[in-house]
Amino acid sequence: MLILAILSLTACHKTKADVDSNSVTPTPEEPVVKKYLVKEYYYGYPNEPIKVIEWNEDYSKINHISTYQNTYYQLDFDFEYYGNDSMQVTLSAPDTAWSMVIFTSYICHFDNSKKISKIDYYVNSVYQNSEQYNYDLNGKLVSIIDEEHDCGGRFVWDGDNVVGEYSLYSVEPAFTYEGFIDKYHQYSTLPYLLRSGDCYHGDYLTKPLWKNVCTYNSQQIYYEYDMDGYITLGCHVTLEGDTIPERCYEYLK
């Protein structure tokens, strides 16, 4: 199960859709107002949020994340920092939860630039495997590799956005992304790319691989934004033209 979870690095993303041929890659200027995601939930279900993020006072570190809160699938992630060298993420669930996890904790090791260099995974304090995080000269994450099992994934960037995800040895991308606009992705200010360990939901707990919003196909996806350009609502547009609200996002700054 562990190896399958690692191989799924590129397996739980939306596939490429038709894109607006007039869209261009935005310039990499910093946002005027920097906001931080604190809550994500399905429209109409704010009391059962998909994700709740608790930050420290200056939003430089995450203290706690809860996923699928107040449901049978709730998982909690506690973050403990050891200076600037490393942090430990510990998974737990309420006694009534049905949650199943691949690992129960992991330790992230930081390099001199405070980026993750390696993550060690554990089940009940027993070491399982490690993943190495590799960066280009611009500090962009270009690969995550489990050397022991000879597997992993690669990322291709255009500016501040990932435009392609590949499995370790593949020459064809598993997923591609186009049609970026100068609005801000809801995960853009999350500090780390971290796995969730959740057997029932997505592979990743946090996925800050895009600064900007990828529109895919404007006939299928519709977004609403706040005055600072951050997504507040994601909607699905049906073939009949009906707009169905799906996910809501709340921020602090």
Side-chain angles (χ1 to χ4, degrees):
M1 184 179 292
L2 177 63
I3 294 175
L4 289 174
I6 296 169
L7 287 173
S8 64
L9 176 66
T10 60
C12 288
H13 243 294
K14 293 181 179 179
T15 56
K16 180 178 178 180
D18 296 332
V19 298
D20 182 356
S21 60
N22 295 320
S23 59
V24 296
T25 302
T27 54
E29 288 84 2
E30 284 298 313
V32 175
V33 177
K34 205 166 186 179
K35 293 185 174 180
Y36 300 86
L37 182 69
V38 294
K39 190 175 183 179
E40 175 182 350
Y41 58 92
Y42 290 117
Y43 181 81
Y45 295 91
N47 295 325
E48 297 180 359
I50 301 167
K51 192 169 295 176
V52 175
I53 304 175
E54 299 175 14
W55 298 81
N56 66 347
E57 290 184 359
D58 63 0
Y59 301 100
S60 61
K61 296 178 180 178
I62 295 174
N63 291 331
H64 183 88
I65 295 178
S66 182
T67 59
Y68 300 94
Q69 199 174 80
N70 304 319
T71 74
Y72 287 115
Y73 299 100
Q74 178 172 332
L75 273 176
D76 292 283
F77 301 79
D78 288 297
F79 291 67
E80 185 174 0
Y81 296 86
Y82 304 101
N84 295 321
D85 297 328
S86 60
M87 73 176 179
Q88 178 169 311
V89 182
T90 303
L91 286 66
S92 62
D95 293 338
T96 57
W98 298 342
S99 302
M100 292 180 60
V101 296
I102 301 168
F103 42 78
T104 56
S105 67
Y106 50 91
I107 295 178
C108 304
H109 303 273
F110 299 132
D111 60 20
N112 292 333
S113 60
K114 298 182 181 179
K115 295 179 180 294
I116 293 175
S117 60
K118 185 179 73 166
I119 298 182
D120 300 323
Y121 295 92
Y122 297 85
V123 174
N124 298 326
S125 301
V126 178
Y127 171 81
Q128 301 297 305
N129 71 295
S130 295
E131 288 184 314
Q132 194 75 35
Y133 278 47
N134 303 297
Y135 303 86
D136 63 14
L137 294 178
N138 296 316
K140 303 295 186 185
L141 179 66
V142 294
S143 66
I144 300 177
I145 300 174
D146 179 345
E147 296 180 351
E148 181 181 355
H149 299 100
D150 195 29
C151 61
R154 298 178 288 119
F155 305 103
V156 175
W157 295 77
D158 181 2
D160 288 327
N161 300 299
V162 164
V163 295
E165 294 187 54
Y166 296 72
S167 60
L168 187 57
Y169 297 114
S170 175
V171 296
E172 295 293 332
F175 307 99
T176 58
Y177 309 91
E178 299 178 26
F180 291 95
I181 59 176
D182 60 352
K183 303 295 184 181
Y184 302 117
H185 194 282
Q186 60 270 30
Y187 300 153
S188 61
T189 52
L190 299 179
Y192 314 113
L193 178 66
L194 300 174
R195 292 195 182 278
S196 70
D198 188 341
C199 292
Y200 291 114
H201 298 99
D203 281 350
Y204 286 96
L205 177 66
T206 57
K207 200 167 186 180
L209 296 179
W210 304 276
K211 174 183 176 181
N212 301 105
V213 174
C214 179
T215 57
Y216 298 101
N217 185 334
S218 61
Q219 298 303 312
Q220 297 176 1
I221 296 177
Y222 167 77
Y223 292 114
E224 292 183 2
Y225 310 93
D226 64 17
M227 61 182 298
D228 299 307
Y230 290 83
I231 295 174
T232 56
L233 177 65
C235 303
H236 173 70
V237 181
T238 67
L239 295 176
E240 293 76 22
D242 297 323
T243 301
I244 311 299
E246 291 186 345
R247 294 198 185 200
C248 301
Y249 305 91
E250 296 179 5
Y251 307 85
L252 289 177
K253 59 181 180 178

